[in-house]
Amino acid sequence: MKYQTLLYYCYSPIENAEVFAADHLKFCKSLNLVGRVIVADEGLNGTISGIKEACETYMQTLHADPRFAKIDFKVDDVAEPTFVKMHVRYKSEIVHSGLRDPQMIDPNKQTGIHLEPKEFMEMKDRDDVIVLDVRSNYEHNLGKFKNAVTLDIENFRDFPEMINRLASFKDKKILTYCTGGIKCEKASALLLHEGFENVYQLHGGIIKYGKEVGGKDFEGKCYVFDNRLSVDVNSVNPVVISRCFNCGKETPKMINCANPECNEHFTQCDECGWQLDGCCSENCKSHPRKRVYDGTGYYVKVPQPVNASAKKNKSGQLQAG
């Protein structure tokens, strides 16, 4: 049996979005799909997985709805479904912007200029260009574009606080990128709102870049929000840039800490993984609620919020290279 995983988003107003979310969950379950969909008044953000025929029906159904006709699905063939359960949740935003007034930007009205992967590849190394990663620390620590500027942020909602640190790049062309493109819609809109004039974004994100141009100069692996945790992107000149959180050895493996009250996203080699039983530290290994580690470092449900305050550098400095 053939399975697929679909990654997509769509900024398109949805009336009665809470009702839509409940109905959409029933629709997904009727197709035996698993995954995670966030529904908000501003649109949809989803990762869906299931048998190929069910995924095709899902895509056709959404494309038949005028509100979602423009969705650009990123499709991966997978050995098995990449989720265990199906969740559809209503939230205030499909990506938390961190703004006190999220209405101050509207990706349906103004965003950066969308660059197709080939255009992005041709522009990214020019002297008048800055490539900006708008993802979180654990994502760009695993993989990023060569020479990209990265931000020390725990979540995308921290992005607005970092914009003043980008002021020295106002005379440059800013090329933003993220996993699938959704964060760039708000990041580029916010940069334009703050007076940056030449703002671009990688259409379809890292995933589409890998599929269409081979992922050239993307170093490391790309973090994804399903039980794969990471995927290969670069088939042209791949390198590993991430190192084991515990011993410092080069490793591309990303896991979540087996202690549910930590649940830290971090890179860990297999040797340390088995030694620490899937935990980031001896303290977490001895935690009474520690989950069973099976070598993957992925867990279906996290009952406690992430607590990463003890492990991250809070300096807020830009990181490049």
Side-chain angles (χ1 to χ4, degrees):
M1 193 171 290
K2 295 181 178 179
Y3 298 97
Q4 291 182 330
T5 293
L6 314 177
L7 175 67
Y8 75 93
Y9 70 89
C10 183
Y11 284 98
S12 181
I14 301 174
E15 289 187 15
N16 301 315
E18 288 188 72
V19 174
F20 177 91
D23 291 342
H24 198 68
L25 176 60
K26 293 177 184 176
F27 168 62
C28 292
K29 286 186 172 181
S30 75
L31 294 174
N32 292 317
L33 293 169
V34 290
R36 179 185 65 110
V37 178
I38 297 172
V39 179
D41 297 344
E42 65 182 5
L44 298 175
N45 175 14
T47 308
I48 292 289
S49 193
I51 64 171
K52 183 178 180 180
E53 292 78 10
C55 288
E56 288 176 349
T57 299
Y58 183 84
M59 290 188 285
Q60 291 167 4
T61 303
L62 263 64
H63 277 154
D65 187 321
R67 295 171 295 180
F68 313 129
K70 63 182 180 181
I71 290 179
D72 181 15
F73 287 97
K74 273 73 74 178
V75 182
D76 276 344
D77 293 320
V78 293
E80 59 185 7
T82 54
F83 290 87
V84 175
K85 297 181 180 180
M86 185 69 233
H87 297 285
V88 179
R89 295 192 172 96
Y90 172 79
K91 295 190 177 182
S92 59
E93 299 176 78
I94 54 175
V95 170
H96 195 322
S97 64
L99 298 170
R100 291 182 182 176
D101 177 17
Q103 305 302 317
M104 67 185 284
I105 58 173
D106 183 353
N108 285 308
K109 295 180 179 178
Q110 185 182 41
T111 63
I113 297 170
H114 287 61
L115 296 175
E116 293 303 320
K118 186 178 180 182
E119 296 173 305
F120 183 93
M121 182 172 64
E122 291 170 349
M123 280 187 67
K124 66 181 179 61
D125 296 323
R126 286 168 38 176
D127 291 339
D128 61 342
V129 162
I130 291 295
V131 176
L132 177 64
D133 192 318
V134 303
R135 301 171 303 151
S136 305
N137 287 335
Y138 64 88
E139 297 175 87
H140 62 67
N141 285 339
L142 180 66
K144 65 182 181 62
F145 278 102
K146 183 179 180 180
N147 299 323
V149 170
T150 59
L151 304 173
D152 182 16
I153 57 177
E154 303 293 339
N155 296 284
F156 181 68
R157 60 178 173 266
D158 300 326
F159 179 79
E161 298 177 6
M162 302 297 293
I163 286 185
N164 64 336
R165 300 176 185 272
L166 301 171
S168 61
F169 302 135
K170 278 200 171 182
D171 62 338
K172 302 279 190 178
K173 292 181 174 66
I174 309 293
L175 273 57
T176 67
Y177 73 88
C178 60
T179 306
I182 186 171
K183 293 176 182 176
C184 289
E185 302 282 8
K186 289 193 173 181
S188 67
L190 192 56
L191 287 166
L192 289 166
H193 183 271
E194 294 296 325
F196 290 79
E197 296 180 358
N198 298 300
V199 182
Y200 301 77
Q201 63 192 77
L202 174 56
H203 182 220
I206 299 163
I207 301 299
K208 188 173 183 179
Y209 183 86
K211 291 181 181 299
E212 294 193 1
V213 296
K216 182 183 177 183
D217 292 334
F218 186 83
E219 300 178 329
K221 302 185 77 169
C222 180
Y223 183 89
V224 291
F225 297 86
D226 58 55
N227 64 6
R228 294 172 295 174
L229 291 180
S230 66
V231 296
D232 291 322
V233 173
N234 190 337
S235 59
V236 179
N237 55 348
V239 296
V240 176
I241 64 168
S242 51
R243 295 188 173 276
C244 178
F245 178 81
N246 302 103
C247 73
K249 185 170 71 176
E250 196 174 80
T251 179
K253 186 176 181 180
M254 167 74 76
I255 74 168
N256 285 352
C257 181
N259 174 6
E261 294 186 11
C262 172
N263 202 48
E264 174 80 358
H265 302 281
F266 67 107
T267 45
Q268 185 180 62
C269 68
D270 283 329
E271 185 178 348
C272 288
W274 291 113
Q275 183 178 342
L276 289 167
D277 208 16
C279 292
C280 63
S281 66
E282 290 289 347
N283 284 341
C284 283
K285 182 180 178 180
S286 62
H287 195 278
R289 296 183 62 237
K290 191 192 79 64
R291 298 169 290 201
V292 176
Y293 178 63
D294 64 0
T296 66
Y298 175 81
Y299 305 96
V300 175
K301 186 178 179 182
V302 181
Q304 296 293 325
V306 172
N307 177 16
S309 59
K311 304 186 187 73
K312 296 294 186 183
N313 177 3
K314 297 289 186 179
S315 65
Q317 296 299 306
L318 298 179
Q319 305 156 29

